[in-house]
Amino acid sequence: MIPLLDLKAQYASIKDEVDAAVLRVLASAQYVLGDEVAAFEEEFADYCGARHAIAVNTGTSALHLALLAAGIGPGDEVITVPFTFVATVSAICYTGARPVFVDVEPVTLTMDPTQLEAAITSRTKAIVPVHLYGQMAEMDDIMAVASRHGLPVIEDACQAHGAEHRHRRAGSIGISGCFSFYPGKNLGACGEGGAVVTSDDAHARTIRMLRDWGQQQRYHHLLKGFNYRMDGIQGAILRVKLRYLEAWTAARRAHAARYSALLAHSAAVKPPMEVAHRRHVYHVYAVKCRDREEIRSALQAEGIQSGLHYPIPVHLQEAHADLGYRAGDFPVSEAAARSMLSLPIYPEMSARDVEQVAAALEQDAYVG
């Protein structure tokens, strides 16, 4: 079996360091926030090229607090994309604002900047591009539109730890960037976790209060806040894993390059494209298929797992029917939802595994 990802292999490779970090927190009894979380915040901010990182309990919480700190509330509109995990849109809804969608580019499947101007109204208060699969959106064009209209850009970088756009790290270009540390992410905790990075001192101060019941000091609640704090154990584990992130990214990129070379002339699938001025970190290696279900079944028969990211775009999800969108509104997103298939990719997989997956795809090249 070749799994879609192998978290047991990652743990085995750093077991002694992770175990020691967990025991250190247990001995300190700093179970919520504490020294380990504070140290991780400093190290992650430095890694991202931002002045601040505020650790929270999930990536969804990170998005929610970043939006609140930008002043988003009921009656506002926030522009994002429908081809994303539902959390991007849920976080906007939590603020009382209305999500407004623009379609994605057909090549990178990230926000299409050419559609932004037409979506902006007097109620638009922010833009949330999603760095899907580990490749950043076209930030130069998005920031140019945002600047013309005086709108903040909040980067959904939940899949893009260490991704770069013209040598600037994900999360460091907009007013803030939001990360998830869900276990399967490129930098994953052993549970839930998230963070907002920002170089805006006021935003950082507001987000720190909001994550901890709105208090700046104990029992002095200046804002109506939330219990979105990160556990001490997750902070300690993330400090260990952050030291390996660049090596793991290099491994992912090597596997992706090998896949792309082997599948360059495939009749069954089309490999993803990495834009020249962006560093793709391949949280997901998704290929475009002409007949996805037959290919997926054929891989499964040979013991190869695959995944779907994401089979139903958010504008067609029942939970968001109230937004009033219909099938056909975003044709690129809808086509991607029907055709994209995620292949196994994780740092610990071998070159032989990559070749076996590619060979299985080519063996079934007659499909479609």
Side-chain angles (χ1 to χ4, degrees), residues 56-135:
V56 294
N57 59 342
T58 68
T60 310
S61 300
L63 287 160
H64 184 197
L65 297 190
L67 289 159
L68 290 176
I72 310 303
D76 295 337
E77 294 180 352
V78 176
I79 300 175
T80 189
V81 293
F83 193 56
T84 180
F85 183 60
V86 72
T88 312
V89 179
S90 296
I92 295 170
C93 293
Y94 292 168
T95 69
R98 175 186 171 82
V100 173
F101 297 125
V102 296
D103 212 344
V104 296
E105 297 176 324
V107 175
T108 65
L109 304 181
T110 57
M111 178 177 276
D112 184 348
T114 66
Q115 299 194 20
L116 277 174
E117 298 267 16
I120 292 172
T121 73
S122 60
R123 294 183 296 278
T124 304
K125 294 297 186 293
I127 299 171
V128 181
V130 178
H131 303 325
L132 193 78
Y133 296 163
Q135 180 160 227

Side-chain angles (χ1 to χ4, degrees), residues 311-326:
I312 305 174
V314 182
H315 71 286
L316 299 182
Q317 294 284 354
E318 187 175 345
H320 294 290
D322 59 313
L323 296 176
Y325 292 109
R326 297 288 184 269

Side-chain angles (χ1 to χ4, degrees), residues 126-325:
I127 299 171
V128 181
V130 178
H131 303 325
L132 193 78
Y133 296 163
Q135 180 160 227
M136 292 179 69
E138 184 41 70
M139 292 303 292
D140 286 349
D141 294 344
I142 292 170
M143 294 302 291
V145 174
S147 178
R148 282 199 294 277
H149 293 270
L151 297 171
V153 173
I154 297 167
E155 300 174 55
D156 183 340
C158 288
Q159 300 183 358
H161 313 71
E164 296 178 1
H165 183 283
R166 301 193 192 283
H167 305 293
R168 293 184 66 182
R169 288 263 165 91
S172 69
I173 298 177
I175 194 168
S176 58
C178 303
F179 291 86
S180 166
F181 304 123
Y182 187 75
K185 295 297 171 64
N186 291 25
L187 178 62
C190 292
E192 299 275 7
V196 182
V197 300
T198 180
S199 293
D200 186 299
D201 295 342
H203 275 241
R205 189 165 51 251
T206 300
I207 292 167
R208 284 189 192 284
M209 284 193 288
L210 286 172
R211 76 168 171 183
D212 191 15
W213 296 112
Q215 59 186 346
Q216 194 166 34
Q217 64 184 92
R218 195 163 179 80
Y219 299 132
H220 292 259
H221 303 273
L222 305 184
L223 302 171
K224 292 182 174 65
F226 305 86
N227 181 3
Y228 283 176
R229 298 167 299 196
M230 175 178 278
D231 292 346
I233 286 176
Q234 303 309 336
I237 291 171
L238 287 166
R239 290 187 70 195
V240 172
K241 291 192 173 186
L242 183 57
R243 295 197 288 268
Y244 292 92
L245 183 55
E246 280 300 290
W248 289 342
T249 297
R252 285 176 178 274
R253 288 178 54 76
H255 295 326
R258 186 62 178 150
Y259 267 139
S260 294
L262 292 169
L263 300 173
H265 304 291
S266 173
V269 303
K270 184 176 181 180
M273 176 181 170
E274 180 173 345
V275 178
H277 61 273
R278 307 181 207 176
R279 181 173 85 147
H280 199 322
V281 295
Y282 294 100
H283 171 59
V284 169
Y285 185 92
V287 295
K288 184 178 181 180
C289 303
R290 287 191 297 181
D291 196 330
R292 183 171 66 189
E293 291 312 311
E294 286 193 43
I295 292 177
R296 195 174 193 207
S297 296
L299 290 176
Q300 184 66 32
E302 298 193 31
I304 298 169
Q305 289 185 342
S306 59
L308 302 180
H309 301 90
Y310 298 92
I312 305 174
V314 182
H315 71 286
L316 299 182
Q317 294 284 354
E318 187 175 345
H320 294 290
D322 59 313
L323 296 176
Y325 292 109

Side-chain angles (χ1 to χ4, degrees), residues 2 255 258-259 262-263 304 349-362:
I2 299 178
H255 295 326
R258 186 62 178 150
Y259 267 139
L262 292 169
L263 300 173
I304 298 169
M349 71 187 298
S350 68
R352 183 178 177 83
D353 290 336
V354 173
E355 291 164 3
Q356 184 177 337
V357 175
L361 284 167
E362 292 309 277

